[in-house]
Every structure is written in structure tokens, then in C-alpha cells.
Amino acid sequence: MPQTSCDVAIVGGSIAGLRAAQTVARHAPDLTIAMISDETYPPYERPPLSKVGLTKPLLLDALIYPAVNDLKSHGVNFMLGTRAEELDVEGRTIRHSSGALQYRSLVVATGCEAVMPPALSGLPDVFSLRRYEDAISFRRALADPLKSVAIVGAGFIGGELASMVANEGRQVALVDLARKPLGRFGDAVFRSYEALHRGAGIELHFGEQVTDVVQQGNGSRVLKLSDGTKVPADVIVVGVGVRPSTEWLKRSGLRLENGIVCDGTLRAADHVFAAGDAVRWPNRRWGADMRVEHWTNAAEQGRVAGVNAANDILGSPLEVCANIPYFWSDQHGVRIQFAGHRAGDEEVAESRNSGGSLFLYRRGEIVTGVLAFERRADFVKIRTMLKSELSWQVVSSLVSREDS
Ligand SMILES: Cc1cc2nc3c(=O)[nH]c(=O)nc-3n(C[C@H](O)[C@H](O)[C@H](O)COP(=O)(O)OP(=O)(O)OC[C@H]3O[C@@H](n4cnc5c(N)ncnc54)[C@H](O)[C@@H]3O)c2cc1C
């Protein structure tokens, strides 16, 4: 008989949900916690799924967060393989695939799911990558070294996958509809990204649409692109983006507009908080509404939502989430990192040296963000300084001093 009530319910068993559970357990140890997750594994790290080399084992036990054991000892109930199907905000009840769970406060951390273009959906040996089993499936398909590989979508996951396959000495094509993948960070960033992949021998097809998938007479398969090019594609991995997993909330009355709309404290409704990739909230540090699809934000929001879910019960004030969005990506041995906020209209200043490249985003005299290819020490300094308002003068002198 599944548990039917708890103090804090968490829906979603990944990093945001895990951090929320850890925080409640620390902050208010007497509160009972139940986590509902439709995955059959306890919370595990997703970033290694696109980074661990193809010839190395991808072991689930090594990916599961060590904190899971502490939380089990604390008494957290991991309701795995359980799908939340409906939320009754007034009745403080989650209806799920095995019954119903009543809560005093709730953290929704259902994250995102991968988008699969209809033209590729359902075809054999076509994969997206969000969950552990996705990674196992495409690694199995890639086990035959004679199979050609095409990656559709040249964002961070697509770029990491291309790097992973090329690292095994295999030919791989990277296709993207956008003429300048990562161009939202500025043309100079796109050029560095393109050069990184081209330098590693990746076949790039940017600005091209997949128009057909053609099975050839000899058993091989190709992607036909809008410019007529045929790209060998026995195995296709798709990384064209994700969408918030909010279908189950459709009748809940929560505001859903490109994510769960929250206030600055990550509150979505009475006694309902949300955290992670599925959340849209006004980030006061930047005076902007945002939804961030990166690990560190999910972890940070999980902590804030956990504090607030506990404080909602304890009658204590709520904490505001005003963080500095950050991500990293590892491709061809180069660490790409970003911290800050890029609205799109900032000036981009570039600084290159033998250690890599730094791209600084500024609006007038204020620095709004930094992106780095390597230059790890410089990046860390600037990321730390971004915690408060950062003037261009401070950073420009730092950059020019270190370049000379
Ligand atoms: C392959 C890969 C590599 C990545 N690499 C990086 C990286 O290098 N750097 C970086 O910053 N970020 C990276 N990310 C992004 C990062 O992993 C995500 O930002 C992070 O996982 C978001 O966490 P989350 O808890 O918000 O949601 P998710 O991780 O999406 O988890 C949501 C959980 O909720 C569950 N769920 C959804 N709906 C329901 C429901 N109705 N009922 C029950 N459970 C439900 C899902 O099954 C899932 O377990 C990567 C992501 C992937 C997939």
C-alpha cells in the first residue's frame, strides 16, 4: 500500500528534487518527505550520459547521487516508477499511477523531456538522450564500428555526443537547422564552436534541414538535407531541444507558459513551489524572467524550493531565488562555461590567449556575463565577481593584464 500523506511531497526524482529533499531534511528534520518519480532508478547524474567515453562502462551505480543513501536513512520515501497524473491544488493532493498522496507543501521538479521531430520519431536506431536507458540504447546501437553516425542538433548535448563519437576515431556528422549554432552567445562564440568541431574532424552541416531519411539498397541509411547532401546515418542521435514536463499539470490551475510560472520565491500557487528545468521565474539579480535548462540552476533552485516548502509549513519567511545562471559543457577536451545572463543585445568583447578564449558580455558599463573556452581560472574569477554588480572597468583591466 503506497504512502498516502506526507509533510513535503516532491514530484520529480532528479537533481532539483534531490536537492529539495536534502534541504528539507536538513532544515526541518522532523518533516516527513516523499518523492514521486516515474523513473525506476533513484536520482542520478545526467551530465555524464553525454560525456563518458563510448568504450568506458556507463554504470548506473556510479551515477546515482551518494546523497540518496543518506536520505533513505533519514526516512525519505522514494516512490519510484510512479507517475504523477494530476494535481489538486486546493485539496493538496497528487493523484498518481498507484493512488494519491496528500501533502502540506509540494515541490514540483518534473524537469524536461527531449523533443523528437515527427519525421524521425519511431524510426529504428534513432535516439534522443535524456535518461539512463536512452544512453544505454544508443551506446548499444553504436557498438558496431561500421555503423555511420549522424547527430541532429548542434547544441551542447549534440556537440558533446559528436565529441564522444569522434573521440573513438569514428566519422560523425553534425547537422543543425541553425546556420550558427550557439549564435545566441554571439557570432564570435559560434566561430570558436565551429572551429573546435571542424578541427576535430567533425563533418558539419549547419543551416540545413533534414528533408528525408532514406534506406539504401545496401542496407545503409542516409539523411537527405535541404541542400541535397546525403549524410550517412545508420545511427541517428537527436538533440534538438527539450520541453518542460508539465502535461500532468494541465488541469491544476497552475500557470503554464513555457514552464511553470513562479514568483521570485519559486512559488507557483498556495503551498506549491517548483524547481529546475521546468520553472519560469523572475530572477531579481538580472531583472529578467527566465527558464534555465542547466544542472547548477536545477540544484540551486531545488535548495531554495526545499527551504521554502519547509518554511511554508513552519510559518517562516520565504527565500528569493536570485542566482547566477551557469553551465558547463565538455567537448573535444575543451571545457566551455557560461555564467550570467545574456538577453541578446549586449556588446560582446573577446579575449584570446594561448589558454583559450573569453567572451565578455556588457551592457554599457555593466558586465552581464562571461563565456569561456578553457581559461578556467579567469572564468572562475569573473563568475565569482558576478555575484554582485560588476563594472566593465574591473573586468577589462583583469582581461588585458592577463593577456599581456
Ligand atoms: C545527457 C545530458 C547531459 C547534460 N549535461 C549537462 C552539462 O554538462 N552541464 C549542465 O549544466 N547541464 C547539463 N545537462 C542538463 C541537466 O542535466 C538538467 O538541467 C537537469 O537534469 C535538470 O534537472 P531537473 O531536476 O530540473 O529535471 P530532470 O533532470 O529533467 O528530471 C525530472 C525528473 O522528473 C521526472 N518526471 C517528469 N514528469 C513526471 C511525472 N509526471 N511524474 C513523476 N516523475 C516525473 C522525470 O522522469 C525525471 O526523473 C545535461 C542533460 C542531459 C540529458
Side-chain angles (χ1 to χ4, degrees), residues 25 28 30 50 85 123 151 169 186 195 210 228 272 326 352 373 381 393:
D30 294 336
S50 53
E85 290 169 343
L123 296 177
I151 292 161
V210 174
V272 180
Y326 162 79
R352 286 176 191 271
F373 283 61
K381 266 185 226 160
Q393 231 181 346

Side-chain angles (χ1 to χ4, degrees), residues 11-18 36-39 44-51 65 82-85 109-113 129-131 157 160 245-246 248 275-278 292-299 326-330:
V11 181
S14 185
I15 182 61
L18 180 84
I36 292 178
S37 173
D38 63 357
E39 293 197 75
Y44 59 89
E45 290 185 69
R46 295 193 200 286
L49 302 182
S50 53
K51 296 176 184 65
Y65 292 102
T82 305
R83 183 153 187 81
E85 290 169 343
T110 44
C112 281
E113 54 212 29
L129 179 58
R130 188 73 192 173
R131 294 177 166 208
I157 290 186
E160 289 189 347
S245 303
T246 51
W248 70 285
D277 280 13
V292 177
E293 295 168 356
H294 298 294
W295 191 95
T296 307
N297 177 69
Y326 162 79
F327 67 74
W328 81 97
S329 178
D330 294 328

Side-chain angles (χ1 to χ4, degrees), residues 292-321:
V292 177
E293 295 168 356
H294 298 294
W295 191 95
T296 307
N297 177 69
E300 290 171 349
Q301 289 198 335
R303 189 195 65 75
V304 174
V307 167
N308 288 345
N311 282 355
D312 184 60
I313 294 172
L314 302 173
S316 303
L318 301 184
E319 198 178 296
V320 165
C321 180

